[in-house]
Amino acid sequence: MASTDRNAPLRLGTIAPNFQADTTTGPIDFHEFIGDNWVILFSHPEDYTPVCTTELGEMARLEPEFKKRGVKLIGLSANTLGSHEGWINDIKDVTGSQVQFPIIADKERKVAYLYDMLDYQDTTNVDEKGIAFTIRSVFVIDPKKTIRTILAYPASTGRNSAEILRIVDSLQTGDKHKVTTPINWVPGDDVIVHPSIKGEEATRLFPNLKAVKPYLRFTPLPKDA
Ligand code: BEZ
């Protein structure tokens, strides 16, 4: 049962807190934005910074891959809309990719506080007033608005876009086939039959199952799965 307690820390299984915000594609209500889609909400420390520029260019380049999987992207940076709009032009100049998805203008850190995207340890990651910048958080949210994955990177380390796509593939594959995915799994590799599927039900659902141990049962999935 997903938690909706707004005072509870955000955990996997929490309903993504709703908020209203201004974005580069217009004002949004976050739950309306999610609708029936998967959503990746990802934060940046600040506009016109080098690592963030490469990250946003790459997410814009990969947007069609996310769309194919029914995933909407939404970024966040702790600056104003006007600043975001100028930065989007720079991102196009530098990376060749046009950011089409919304970027939340979170100068006041309203959403950043709600999603605990702030830096606790790195006291250099602050603006001119000493207010903490956002870190590089990633929230993968499913169509039921449940948080399914939380990643947090320091400002100094750019994210791995292939890993974000891989997480989406793993979650969607797992939901569809009652399987889990092993270390370094990528689509096409064998998956692991979920421990809750026992005995004959497992062999009926997965006729090519290979039991390495009673608790570790690999299976291929059909090619079009
Ligand atoms: C960057 O995107 O390069 C960056 C942003 C804030 C602090 C450090 C690096």
Side-chain angles (χ1 to χ4, degrees):
M1 177 74 175
S3 166
T4 51
D5 177 357
R6 288 182 78 90
N7 296 316
L10 295 188
R11 296 190 173 129
L12 305 193
T14 305
I15 296 293
N18 196 23
F19 59 84
Q20 287 74 40
D22 288 329
T23 81
T24 48
T25 59
I28 60 153
D29 173 280
F30 190 52
H31 279 189
E32 279 175 19
F33 175 82
I34 297 172
D36 295 327
N37 304 281
W38 288 75
V39 164
I40 296 189
L41 167 65
F42 57 103
S43 59
H44 293 273
E46 196 176 25
D47 295 0
Y48 297 104
T49 50
V51 176
C52 298
T53 299
T54 63
E55 287 189 318
L56 272 171
E58 176 64 357
M59 291 302 270
R61 188 185 72 80
L62 283 176
E63 192 176 13
E65 283 299 318
F66 285 103
K67 271 199 180 144
K68 252 195 248 168
R69 293 158 172 82
V71 180
K72 288 169 87 175
L73 301 177
I74 180 163
L76 175 152
S77 186
N79 296 94
T80 61
L81 265 191
S83 167
H84 286 357
E85 279 154 7
W87 186 33
I88 284 173
N89 295 333
D90 263 22
I91 293 164
K92 174 88 174 48
D93 274 358
V94 172
T95 68
S97 297
Q98 181 69 47
V99 175
Q100 315 229 29
F101 52 80
I103 304 177
I104 298 165
D106 198 34
K107 176 94 180 136
E108 307 304 324
R109 322 304 199 246
K110 218 176 81 186
V111 180
Y113 277 109
L114 187 63
Y115 275 78
D116 202 12
M117 293 165 162
L118 290 161
D119 200 323
Y120 180 66
Q121 300 243 324
D122 181 359
T123 51
T124 62
N125 187 26
V126 293
D127 71 5
E128 71 283 357
K129 293 190 189 135
I131 303 173
F133 279 126
T134 38
I135 54 167
R136 301 184 197 284
S137 296
V138 181
F139 289 85
V140 182
I141 299 164
D142 73 14
K144 292 183 180 153
K145 303 180 177 59
T146 303
I147 296 175
R148 301 289 298 275
T149 302
I150 302 174
L151 305 174
Y153 290 63
S156 55
T157 305
R159 285 160 279 208
N160 184 326
S161 54
E163 174 62 359
I164 300 172
L165 269 177
R166 195 188 76 92
I167 291 168
V168 170
D169 285 333
S170 168
L171 290 169
Q172 294 185 343
T173 301
D175 286 1
K176 188 167 168 196
H177 296 285
K178 295 191 187 161
V179 296
T180 57
T181 61
I183 178 80
N184 295 338
W185 175 86
V186 287
D189 289 354
D190 284 359
V191 296
I192 295 173
V193 178
H194 195 280
S196 65
I197 302 179
K198 312 268 185 220
E200 277 179 18
E201 191 195 359
T203 41
R204 185 174 51 78
L205 289 173
F206 305 105
N208 297 314
L209 174 156
K210 290 164 273 178
V212 177
K213 292 276 180 188
Y215 59 83
L216 178 56
R217 299 164 300 167
F218 286 102
T219 183
L221 286 177
K223 283 278 170 275
D224 56 355

